[in-house]
């Protein structure tokens, strides 16, 4: 009786209504609840998503590198107003390197097969060849060494924008690679505050022929106001940061922030 009912009703209903829906599924877990490895992967993915900053849920092209005790510790050090210049530079450089490496991970790649010293085939990936950096003078220049350490011989352009309060829209100087429109661009500025200077720099890159989707903006800390300002205007651009701070104060400084980064890094804050 049970076998007859299964064959007459349950199996045909499954074939007609359930089975065709497989092509719409994002994930299919073979063996259901017995597949502990697959379930664990999904749980970890959900925990990662739930741990994301709210702005990353609003803007899918905003990426905050995964926080660890090491990263939190380095932020604690560089935000401390009592830290020495030497230590500030040392730990800032470590954080910048992490941000640059994370940003490079968002570049396109091609599959490449090589032969290892054991004579075995290894299928890996080939790095993006057409790449350059552009630093927003002068704080952005603090990120150039980390980029050069990661990308041998990389070309780096410069953009100088006058900043005055929350305006900062006056372009003073620009020197960019002549073939920049053919390259992916890593835009460098350690602090994203209001976003006005960043927007000016991004607009210049687009005017030079760089597709918006080929620009990755790298910074150490970001204010929510700056992320809103940049991401709403340039939704295809990627932002990679190590922390999103609370807000801007009435003087348009990032809070809790870390002060004038360029002055502290280059030793001109005395």
């Amino acid at each position: 009786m049970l076998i007859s009912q299964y064959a007459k009703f349950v199996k045909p209903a499954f074939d007609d209504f359930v089975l065709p829906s497989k092509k719409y599924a994002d994930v299919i877990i073979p063996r259901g609840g017995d597949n502990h490895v697959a379930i664990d992967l999904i749980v970890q993915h959900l925990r990662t998503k739930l741990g994301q900053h709210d702005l990353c849920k609003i803007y899918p092209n905003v990426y905050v590198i995964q926080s660890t005790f090491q990263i939190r510790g380095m932020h604690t050090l560089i935000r401390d107003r009592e830290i020495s210049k030497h230590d500030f530079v040392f730990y800032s450089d470590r954080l910048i390197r992490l941000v640059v490496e994370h940003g490079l991970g968002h570049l396109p790649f091609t599959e490449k097969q090589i032969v290892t010293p054991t004579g075995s085939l290894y299928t890996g990936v080939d790095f993006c060849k057409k790449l350059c950096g552009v630093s927003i003078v002068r704080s952005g220049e603090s990120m150039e060494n980390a980029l050069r350490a990661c990308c041998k011989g990389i070309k780096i352009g410069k953009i100088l924008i006058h900043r005055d309060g929350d305006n900062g829209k006056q372009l003073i100087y620009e020197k960019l690679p002549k073939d920049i429109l053919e390259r992916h661009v890593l835009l460098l500025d350690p602090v994203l505050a209001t976003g006005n200077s960043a927007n000016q720099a991004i607009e210049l890159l687009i005017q030079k022929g760089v597709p918006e989707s080929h620009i990755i903006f790298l910074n150490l800390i970001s204010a929510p106001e700056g992320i809103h300002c940049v991401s709403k205007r340039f939704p295809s651009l990627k932002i990679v940061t190590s922390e999103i701070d609370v807000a801007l104060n009435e003087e348009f400084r990032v809070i809790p922030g870390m002060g004038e980064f360029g002055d502290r890094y280059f030793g001109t804050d005395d």
Side-chain angles (χ1 to χ4, degrees), residues 197-269:
S197 296
N199 281 351
Q200 178 76 1
I202 295 163
E203 190 62 50
L204 175 63
L205 294 175
I206 292 174
Q207 289 173 7
K208 296 291 184 179
V210 181
E212 181 183 317
S213 60
H214 285 196
I215 303 170
I216 302 176
F217 185 26
L218 307 181
N219 48 76
L220 289 184
I221 63 170
S222 302
E225 293 88 339
I227 290 176
H228 283 300
C229 181
V230 174
S231 296
K232 283 180 179 178
R233 186 168 176 183
F234 305 105
S236 298
L237 170 140
K238 292 183 176 69
I239 296 176
V240 176
T241 187
S242 64
E243 279 196 349
I244 298 176
D245 275 21
V246 177
L248 297 177
N249 64 10
E250 63 277 1
E251 297 175 342
F252 306 105
R253 295 180 183 273
V254 183
I255 298 299
M258 52 184 166
E260 289 292 340
F261 185 89
D263 285 338
R264 298 181 73 195
Y265 190 92
F266 295 110
T268 55
D269 55 344

Side-chain angles (χ1 to χ4, degrees), residues 84-242:
S84 68
K85 176 185 178 296
H86 178 270
D87 285 347
F88 179 82
V89 171
F90 178 80
Y91 290 107
S92 293
D93 285 344
R94 283 187 61 188
L95 268 176
I96 290 168
R97 179 68 178 262
L98 292 173
V99 172
V100 169
E101 292 280 13
H102 192 95
L104 291 172
H106 291 282
L107 292 169
F109 63 88
T110 53
E111 190 175 282
K112 183 178 182 179
Q113 196 171 67
I114 53 94
V115 179
T116 72
T118 64
S120 305
L121 287 177
Y122 177 81
T123 302
V125 298
D126 197 13
F127 292 130
C128 175
K129 293 292 193 296
K130 286 288 195 177
L131 175 66
C132 73
V134 173
S135 60
I136 299 179
V137 179
R138 109 182 127 138
S139 295
E141 293 173 308
S142 65
M143 306 178 75
E144 293 179 6
N145 285 337
L147 183 56
R148 289 192 180 98
C150 296
C151 304
K152 184 174 64 175
I154 189 171
K155 292 183 177 181
I156 297 180
K158 296 180 186 293
I159 297 175
L160 174 60
I161 296 168
H162 175 65
R163 303 184 185 190
D164 182 16
D166 68 333
N167 199 348
K169 295 184 178 180
Q170 184 181 355
L171 177 66
I172 304 296
Y173 172 81
E174 56 93 356
K175 182 68 175 178
L176 303 171
K178 293 180 180 178
D179 61 346
I180 194 169
L181 75 166
E182 302 172 6
R183 298 175 179 269
H184 286 262
V185 177
L186 297 177
L187 184 62
L188 312 174
D189 195 358
V191 179
L192 172 57
T194 64
N196 289 322
S197 296
N199 281 351
Q200 178 76 1
I202 295 163
E203 190 62 50
L204 175 63
L205 294 175
I206 292 174
Q207 289 173 7
K208 296 291 184 179
V210 181
E212 181 183 317
S213 60
H214 285 196
I215 303 170
I216 302 176
F217 185 26
L218 307 181
N219 48 76
L220 289 184
I221 63 170
S222 302
E225 293 88 339
I227 290 176
H228 283 300
C229 181
V230 174
S231 296
K232 283 180 179 178
R233 186 168 176 183
F234 305 105
S236 298
L237 170 140
K238 292 183 176 69
I239 296 176
V240 176
T241 187
S242 64

Side-chain angles (χ1 to χ4, degrees), residues 28-42:
I28 296 174
I29 302 179
R31 305 192 312 280
D34 294 329
N35 194 334
H36 300 294
V37 174
I39 291 173
D40 184 58
L41 286 172
I42 291 175

